Amino acid sequence: TLVHYGFLGATPERPEIAFTFLLLRLFRQLHRVCPRLSIDAFAKCLNHLHHTPHNAYLADQFSNAYDCYLEILRHVKLRTDTALGRDKTWSAISICPPCFYKTVGEPALKYSFLAAMDGNNSLKLVDSTFRAGSVRPDDRVSGSPRWITPEEVDLFKDEATKTNGVGHPDTDADGIAWLNVSEHDELAQCLNTCVERWRAASPEARKKMHALFAVAGIFLAVCRHGHVLAICDMIRSGELMKYPLAIVNRLFNVYGANIGLGYDIMCAFIKTLSRSSLGEKTVTFRLQGVVPSFHGHAHNRACQTHWHPMYMEGVGLEDFEECEQTFGRSNELAGNSRLSTPFHRHQNIDEHFAFRDEDKFFASGNFIFENYRQAQEKLKFNSEALDRLAQELGTTAQDYENYLWSECEYLKNLRTEPPEAKAEFSRLDWNIISNGYTRVQIADVRTRYRTTASRWVAMNDEVCRFEEENHIDVRWTPDSKDYNDALCMMSEWKYRRALDNLERLVVQRLFELTKLGMNGVGYKLREKISKALKTRADAIRNALTEYNEAASQLSPPREQLTWLKVINAVSLADLDILRDARTDIRTLPWAQPARREATTLYFGMKRAKEEIVRLNVEIQRLVTFMSDEHAKFYDSISQNIIPNPFLAHELSSQWEYQNKVHTKIARQLAQTSRLKAFTGHLAP
């Protein structure tokens, strides 16, 4: 009877308070535009409207009625989806038509869709142990297909230990990690650069989770248009590797091959992924990892040349930073979800992302228009600047490709000694080469060895064997020429290694400073680059100390390099020290400022052309989707208007709203088609 008159009771039997469907609908839409609005605040508002004192129980009663209202909406949606012939497959591809609604005969894209994944620790859930009162059992679970269950996630909990063969648990020394760096011994080199720098650039206040929280946050994947594709809870932990592994597994199972996927530490994660149980599928499905452009500035230059979207063929102008925008809105749910039940937390998150899907679909036409316009402008302005530089420098497109390859090889080679240096040192005394022993230390070692005959015999046998292998006829002594030549070569070796390391860090810093001064770099990006530079300053200072120590051991000693000289360097020409490197970087073509600028313009144009190709495909997918949906609604309404008029009425209501949305999108696509040099078409 209450429902017949437009009311919904707060309890299933003998309700004393009822709420109108209009009020429940109003709260749902208010919560949509203002996620911070809680049920408790809305209940207080009702008290004020009715001039009654605040009653705490009113919030519980409204919550019960609202749960029932949402359950009704879910059942209505289930019935309309059935009438429209929608299933799980349709839900997966319709979540973002421009990404997944493929059409017959469309141009092949290198990556079928572009997505990004990341974790966020705002949507926590306080453990019930730390709450007042007793816990009321609630076994309800979310029915959203987005969620990956904890059981599915835990299938990958031991993957990190399997890949490196070391039995480290999936946590750090403190129990819970913001980023689990201890689980990747095999990735030590990368973690010492990119991962540690990105960790240092994270928010200082919350790099560790506390046992207070049963759920420490969420980990999700979003497509480039902002639709959430998969999501899981981070249970009592930070961003452990099992979460991105579970996300990748879900994307493989639902969306298949040729995925371009962005992640903050993709350079490290891809190694764990390739050695995990998903390794073979990763190769088969041709997954391509990308480091997002904004976060990429916290990585070293060698990493950027391999993983930054600027140099990644097929990704267009996508920056892979949609996760940050998604979290920017979902963070507003944090205040309402931390003290709720697990079911209500999931329900709030589901509602939020369902509304976000609707908003993002409505904005898809504008997304395509703005990206198309941006790509055309980049092609226009970059083409003019590149033609001018190419004429001055006499360069071609192949030169720019070669410059990138040469830079990659240069940075790669700085990490290891040249083969000729290793061959030269293989002939030297074992103690001097491997341990860096001085004359006094060698004498001390020999004295101690003489006190123990067995140890002396063992060492003598080893030396004899080494002398025989290296054709040394006369035993070296501190006065022998070979010995002193070895000391000299060892000093030069240490100097060269220290110089290589310092050069690498300084070159990367100079390139980041160049980015910092580029036009079009926003405040937040400048702030991120600046913080990355501060982090790298410590590494440069340590390398500088090592260099000066090695330089003082040479004969004659080299000039000491001061921190002020390094930190004030603004171009490669400012560092005379680079003349002493094995390769003078200032003489390399790819390091010249004008050629680097031309290379950046070239790759920017290349990505812009790819963006236009992808947008043309997305336009066709979107138009086809809208046309198909129009036909499905028409057929379904026609079939149900007589046997089930109430269902037909609901379908008509949804169709009316959908037509308004589609009309708006169609106008934006038509606006896109009127852009100069538009190469797509609007036919389904």
Side-chain angles (χ1 to χ4, degrees):
T1 303
L2 284 175
V3 174
H4 178 74
Y5 288 101
F7 290 87
L8 192 61
T11 56
E13 297 180 357
R14 297 181 181 180
E16 297 182 2
I17 296 178
F19 304 93
T20 66
F21 281 98
L22 181 60
L23 181 67
L24 295 168
R25 183 182 179 186
L26 174 64
F27 173 75
R28 186 168 183 252
Q29 295 302 323
L30 287 174
H31 192 255
R32 172 182 187 172
V33 298
C34 183
R36 288 189 176 91
L37 179 63
S38 64
I39 288 180
D40 185 65
F42 191 73
K44 291 179 180 178
C45 177
L46 294 178
N47 285 137
H48 297 324
L49 286 174
H50 292 278
H51 300 286
T52 59
H54 173 60
N55 295 315
Y57 64 83
L58 183 61
D60 293 333
Q61 292 178 323
F62 184 81
S63 177
N64 294 336
Y66 188 63
D67 287 348
C68 185
Y69 172 70
L70 293 181
E71 186 66 21
I72 292 173
L73 293 183
R74 284 191 282 268
H75 279 274
V76 169
K77 184 179 186 304
L78 180 61
R79 294 190 62 183
T80 56
D81 286 349
T82 302
L84 291 168
R86 297 173 176 176
D87 54 14
K88 291 183 178 180
T89 302
W90 181 91
S91 299
I93 64 175
S94 67
I95 192 172
C96 181
C99 283
F100 306 115
Y101 204 80
K102 298 181 180 179
T103 60
V104 178
E106 68 179 22
L109 298 174
K110 183 170 184 179
Y111 307 116
S112 60
F113 72 97
L114 305 176
M117 63 179 180
D118 199 5
N120 179 266
N121 58 12
S122 292
L123 295 179
K124 300 181 180 69
L125 179 66
V126 176
D127 194 299
S128 58
T129 307
F130 298 94
R131 303 188 201 178
S134 59
V135 180
R136 183 171 61 185
D138 187 354
D139 58 357
R140 292 176 293 177
V141 295
S142 170
S144 172
R146 304 178 205 265
W147 286 98
I148 303 175
T149 65
E151 292 75 20
E152 292 178 84
V153 172
D154 284 341
L155 293 175
F156 303 96
K157 65 180 180 180
D158 298 322
E159 291 294 334
T161 58
K162 290 178 183 178
T163 58
N164 57 26
V166 181
H168 293 316
D170 207 9
T171 55
D172 65 357
D174 296 329
I176 298 176
W178 174 82
L179 180 65
N180 184 15
V181 297
S182 66
E183 65 179 3
H184 301 90
D185 291 347
E186 199 276 331
L187 304 179
Q189 184 178 23
C190 191
L191 292 176
N192 287 337
T193 53
C194 300
V195 176
E196 288 300 328
R197 285 169 183 172
W198 177 237
R199 182 175 184 174
S202 69
E204 297 294 336
R206 305 301 293 169
K207 291 184 181 176
K208 299 287 181 180
M209 299 296 114
H210 299 286
L212 170 67
F213 300 109
V215 179
I218 59 174
F219 200 99
L220 52 74
V222 296
C223 73
R224 82 187 201 118
H225 299 90
H227 300 273
V228 177
L229 308 178
I231 182 174
C232 63
D233 283 327
M234 296 192 294
I235 309 295
R236 300 185 185 278
S237 67
E239 293 184 27
L240 305 181
M241 281 297 162
K242 64 180 181 180
Y243 301 119
L245 287 171
I247 291 289
V248 170
N249 184 55
R250 172 63 64 87
L251 295 181
F252 282 160
N253 293 337
V254 177
Y255 299 108
N258 299 322
I259 303 174
L261 185 62
Y263 185 31
D264 298 346
I265 54 168
M266 181 59 75
C267 52
F269 171 69
I270 200 67
K271 296 184 179 180
T272 296
L273 180 61
S274 63
R275 291 174 177 251
S276 71
S277 58
L278 298 176
E280 184 176 348
K281 186 180 288 187
T282 299
V283 176
T284 304
F285 282 31
R286 298 178 295 278
L287 174 72
Q288 177 61 61
V290 186
V291 172
S293 59
F294 179 78
H295 296 81
H297 293 293
H299 293 239
N300 63 54
R301 178 61 185 172
C303 175
Q304 293 176 29
T305 56
H306 288 90
W307 298 97
H308 197 278
M310 171 67 76
Y311 309 110
M312 194 71 65
E313 184 177 353
V315 303
L317 297 179
E318 177 59 32
D319 59 7
F320 295 90
E321 295 289 357
E322 185 60 37
C323 286
E324 304 308 316
Q325 300 181 36
T326 302
F327 294 141
R329 289 291 294 167
S330 66
N331 287 347
E332 298 180 22
L333 291 172
N336 300 331
S337 63
R338 290 187 180 182
L339 296 175
S340 63
T341 66
F343 168 75
H344 285 110
R345 175 178 170 274
H346 275 194
Q347 180 174 264
N348 281 340
I349 295 174
D350 288 340
E351 281 285 291
H352 173 78
F353 287 136
F355 284 137
R356 181 175 174 82
D357 283 341
E358 294 182 15
D359 295 339
K360 287 297 181 179
F361 177 72
F362 181 79
S364 59
N366 185 65
F367 176 94
I368 291 174
F369 171 76
E370 292 295 338
N371 279 35
Y372 216 110
R373 182 176 58 83
Q374 178 188 1
Q376 288 189 343
E377 289 178 354
K378 183 177 283 290
L379 283 174
K380 177 183 177 181
F381 295 120
N382 282 21
S383 178
E384 295 173 356
L386 183 60
D387 290 343
R388 184 175 62 256
L389 285 172
Q391 187 175 4
E392 295 175 0
L393 302 172
T395 53
T396 63
Q398 187 58 47
D399 291 327
Y400 307 132
E401 298 283 355
N402 293 338
Y403 292 160
L404 178 62
W405 181 87
S406 299
E407 182 179 0
C408 293
E409 288 298 306
Y410 171 81
L411 294 172
K412 176 182 177 181
N413 292 335
L414 284 181
R415 294 186 177 275
T416 58
E417 288 184 283
E420 57 272 16
K422 294 182 179 179
E424 178 69 18
F425 271 89
S426 65
R427 300 187 297 105
L428 301 180
D429 182 81
W430 187 88
N431 277 329
I432 296 176
I433 298 171
S434 301
N435 300 325
Y437 285 1
T438 64
R439 183 180 305 177
V440 175
Q441 289 173 316
I442 292 175
D444 180 65
V445 169
R446 288 178 174 171
T447 300
R448 286 187 285 110
Y449 281 171
R450 282 194 296 271
T451 62
T452 306
S454 60
R455 293 177 64 184
W456 181 90
V457 170
M459 177 58 67
N460 187 62
D461 289 343
E462 183 177 354
V463 172
C464 290
R465 184 166 53 253
F466 182 88
E467 291 174 338
E468 182 179 354
E469 291 174 354
N470 293 275
H471 308 290
I472 299 176
D473 298 329
V474 180
R475 178 69 55 87
W476 289 2
T477 65
D479 297 327
S480 63
K481 180 178 183 302
D482 289 337
Y483 177 87
N484 288 294
D485 289 343
L487 284 178
C488 181
M489 186 171 292
M490 183 186 68
S491 299
E492 292 181 358
W493 173 77
K494 289 183 176 180
Y495 171 77
R496 292 290 183 183
R497 293 293 294 160
L499 179 58
D500 286 347
N501 186 41
L502 180 61
E503 179 188 1
R504 176 176 59 85
L505 295 172
V506 170
V507 168
Q508 289 175 174
R509 178 181 181 276
L510 293 178
F511 289 160
E512 294 298 339
L513 286 173
T514 302
K515 293 177 188 174
L516 198 61
M518 290 172 59
N519 292 331
V521 178
Y523 170 75
K524 290 186 177 180
L525 182 55
R526 292 180 189 274
E527 187 178 36
K528 179 65 68 176
I529 296 175
S530 298
K531 191 163 187 179
L533 287 172
K534 291 178 182 177
T535 304
R536 294 178 187 177
D538 293 334
I540 295 176
R541 194 183 296 274
N542 294 335
L544 178 62
T545 301
E546 181 183 354
Y547 165 80
N548 285 333
E549 290 178 357
S552 64
Q553 299 297 321
L554 295 180
S555 180
R558 301 295 171 90
E559 180 182 357
Q560 297 288 295
L561 188 64
T562 64
W563 169 254
L564 187 62
K565 184 174 182 180
V566 172
I567 209 65
N568 288 337
V570 295
S571 70
L572 297 178
D574 291 337
L575 285 177
D576 292 335
I577 180 180
L578 299 185
R579 296 174 183 169
D580 248 347
R582 290 190 176 95
T583 302
D584 189 349
I585 188 177
R586 298 170 304 171
T587 65
L588 300 178
W590 60 265
Q592 305 303 314
R595 296 178 188 272
R596 293 191 65 80
E597 181 183 357
T599 302
T600 301
L601 293 172
Y602 166 76
F603 281 103
M605 290 178 59
K606 195 173 182 180
R607 299 290 86 83
K609 293 176 182 177
E610 296 169 354
E611 181 71 15
I612 289 177
V613 172
R614 180 171 292 276
L615 290 173
N616 286 336
V617 172
E618 290 182 350
I619 289 173
Q620 191 173 3
R621 291 176 179 177
L622 187 54
V623 171
T624 303
F625 173 81
M626 293 190 295
S627 176
D628 290 349
E629 284 297 286
H630 182 86
K632 288 180 181 178
F633 268 99
Y634 180 83
D635 292 342
S636 183
I637 293 172
S638 300
Q639 294 171 5
N640 289 280
I641 193 168
I642 295 178
N644 198 337
F646 295 108
L647 178 59
H649 179 270
E650 176 62 25
L651 289 170
S652 297
S653 177
Q654 293 184 14
W655 191 24
E656 181 181 0
Y657 173 73
Q658 190 180 75
N659 280 343
K660 294 178 182 178
V661 174
H662 289 180
T663 300
K664 179 67 174 179
I665 294 174
R667 289 174 180 171
Q668 293 169 329
L669 294 181
Q671 185 181 9
T672 304
S673 68
R674 291 191 290 270
L675 291 171
K676 293 182 179 180
F678 176 74
T679 56
H681 61 84
L682 300 182

